[in-house]
C-alpha cells in the first residue's frame, strides 16, 4: 500500500518526509484554501520539495466536464507530468475522466462514497478511485467495507484502477486497509504520526537506554562505551 500525505502545509510535509517513507502528496480545495496563499504557489513549493517523480494529486474546482478538462490540462502544465488530476465522481466528472484518461493524463476519481461510483470511474479509465473512509463512516455505513468492496470490484473485473483511500481519522482505519492490501492511502500528517504514537513502545525504548546507562554511564552508547 502506497502512503501519501493528505495536506498542503509545506512544513508539515517536510517533517513527515524526514521520518517516514512517503510516496506523494494529495490536496483538495479545502486543504489548499486553509493555507491562505495562492494555490499554485503552494503546489509548486510542494512539487519542488517532493520532486518530479513523486505523485501530486490536485483537484479541479469546476463541475462542468469541459472546464474540468481545461483545469486538468493547466494543472499538469504547471505542476508536471506526475500530477494526478482529481475529478469528483459525478456524471460531468465521469465525462471528464473518460476524456482525460484517453488523452493519457493521470486521473484520480475523488469524492467516492459508493462502490458503484468507483466502478463507473474505473470504467471511465481512472488510475485511482478515492473512497472517503471516515466520511462514509459518518453516514452510518462502514467506510472500510466500502473500500474493500471497491478493491474486490477492481480485482474481479480486471481493472487497472487502484484505490486511493482518503479521509482517515484513526489508526485502525489505516490498519484495516493495509491488511487488505489496497493500492494507496492518503493520510493527514497528524494521523500518520499517530500510527506509531504509543507510550508502551517509547517506554520500552527508554528502559533499554536507562539499563545501559546505569551500567556504562550517562550518555554512553555503543559508539563511546569503551
Ligand atoms: O480529499 C478527500 C479527503 O482528504 C477528505 O478528507 O478529512 O476532509 O474527510 P476529510
Amino acid at each position: 500500500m502506497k502512503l501519501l500525505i493528505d495536506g498542503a502545509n509545506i512544513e508539515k510535509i517536510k517533517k513527515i518526509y524526514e521520518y517516514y517513507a512517503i510516496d506523494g502528496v494529495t490536496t483538495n480545495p479545502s486543504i489548499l484554501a486553509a493555507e491562505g496563499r495562492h494555490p499554485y504557489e503552494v503546489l509548486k513549493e510542494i512539487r519542488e520539495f517532493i520532486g518530479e517523480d513523486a505523485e501530486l494529486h490536485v483537484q479541479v474546482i469546476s463541475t462542468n466536464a469541459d472546464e474540468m478538462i481545461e483545469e486538468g490540462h493547466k494543472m499538469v502544465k504547471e505542476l508536471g507530468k506526475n500530477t494526478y488530476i482529481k475529478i469528483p465522481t459525478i456524471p460531468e466528472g465521469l465525462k471528464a475522466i473518460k476524456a482525460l484518461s484517453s488523452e493519457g493524463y493521470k486521473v484520480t476519481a475523488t469524492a467516492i462514497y459508493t462502490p458503484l461510483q468507483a466502478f463507473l470511474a474505473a470504467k471511465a479509465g481512472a488510475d485511482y478511485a478515492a473512497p472517503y473512509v471516515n466520511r462514509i463512516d459518518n453516514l452510518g455505513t462502514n467506510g472500510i467495507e466500502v473500500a474493500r468492496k471497491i478493491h474486490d470490484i477492481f480485482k474481479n473485473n480486471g481493472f487497472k484502477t487502484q484505490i486511493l483511500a482518503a479521509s482517515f481519522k484513526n489508526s485502525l482505519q489505516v490498519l484495516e486497509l493495509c491488511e487488505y492490501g489496497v493500492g494507496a492511502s492518503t493520510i493527514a500528517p497528524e494521523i500518520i504520526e499517530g500510527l506509531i504514537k504509543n507510550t508502551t513502545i517509547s517506554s520500552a525504548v527508554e528502559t533499554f537506554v536507562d539499563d545501559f546507562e546505569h551500567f556504562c554511564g550517562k550518555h554512553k552508547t555503543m559508539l563511546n562505551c569503551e
Side-chain angles (χ1 to χ4, degrees):
M1 183 178 84
K2 287 185 184 173
L3 183 59
L4 289 89
I5 300 171
D6 198 21
N9 183 282
I10 192 69
E11 295 315 319
K12 289 183 182 174
I13 290 171
K14 285 181 178 172
K15 186 174 171 216
I16 296 294
Y17 258 79
E18 187 182 348
Y19 288 90
Y20 306 96
I22 299 293
D23 298 291
V25 171
T26 63
T27 64
N28 66 33
S30 309
I31 285 172
L32 280 178
E35 289 307 299
R37 291 194 290 140
H38 192 288
Y40 277 113
E41 185 186 312
V42 173
L43 290 163
K44 284 181 181 178
E45 210 170 53
I46 295 172
R47 170 56 84 201
E48 195 184 335
F49 174 71
I50 65 177
E52 60 180 10
D53 293 333
E55 294 185 14
L56 177 60
H57 298 244
V58 185
Q59 192 165 329
V60 300
I61 312 300
S62 312
T63 51
N64 158 283
D66 290 340
E67 288 164 17
M68 287 173 168
I69 293 165
E70 264 188 80
E71 272 190 77
H73 289 166
K74 176 167 166 106
M75 288 178 343
V76 173
K77 192 164 164 241
E78 296 283 337
L79 302 166
K81 64 176 171 43
N82 275 322
T83 303
Y84 285 72
I85 305 165
K86 280 177 78 180
I87 309 261
T89 314
I90 54 177
E92 289 291 321
L94 290 172
K95 186 176 167 188
I97 292 169
K98 207 149 61 89
L100 285 165
S101 59
S102 68
E103 289 172 26
Y105 286 92
K106 294 175 174 172
V107 179
T108 297
T110 195
I112 289 190
Y113 288 80
T114 74
L116 283 172
Q117 266 182 298
F119 169 73
L120 293 173
K123 288 289 285 179
D127 296 279
Y128 281 115
Y132 288 0
V133 174
N134 198 69
R135 293 194 194 192
I136 296 170
D137 280 353
N138 284 341
L139 293 175
T141 308
N142 188 323
I144 296 298
E145 284 307 315
V146 169
R148 285 180 174 168
K149 197 171 272 198
I150 292 170
H151 181 85
D152 292 345
I153 287 170
F154 290 171
K155 207 171 69 183
N156 295 337
N157 287 276
F159 288 128
K160 68 171 174 57
T161 315
Q162 296 281 315
I163 285 188
L164 170 60
S167 179
F168 289 93
K169 287 296 168 283
N170 64 61
S171 299
L172 182 60
Q173 292 166 335
V174 179
L175 173 65
E176 300 222 33
L177 288 189
C178 62
E179 199 176 328
Y180 210 64
V182 303
S185 285
T186 184
I187 309 174
E190 297 72 21
I191 305 290
I192 292 179
E193 288 174 323
L195 298 178
I196 195 167
K197 202 179 279 176
N198 182 323
T199 49
T200 308
I201 300 171
S202 31
S203 150
V205 175
E206 277 163 26
T207 302
F208 289 139
V209 174
D210 286 350
D211 288 347
F212 192 84
E213 288 189 340
H214 185 70
F215 176 61
C216 288
K218 203 79 187 143
H219 305 307
K220 293 294 181 189
T221 67
M222 295 305 288
L223 199 62
N224 60 4
C225 64
E226 300 84 14

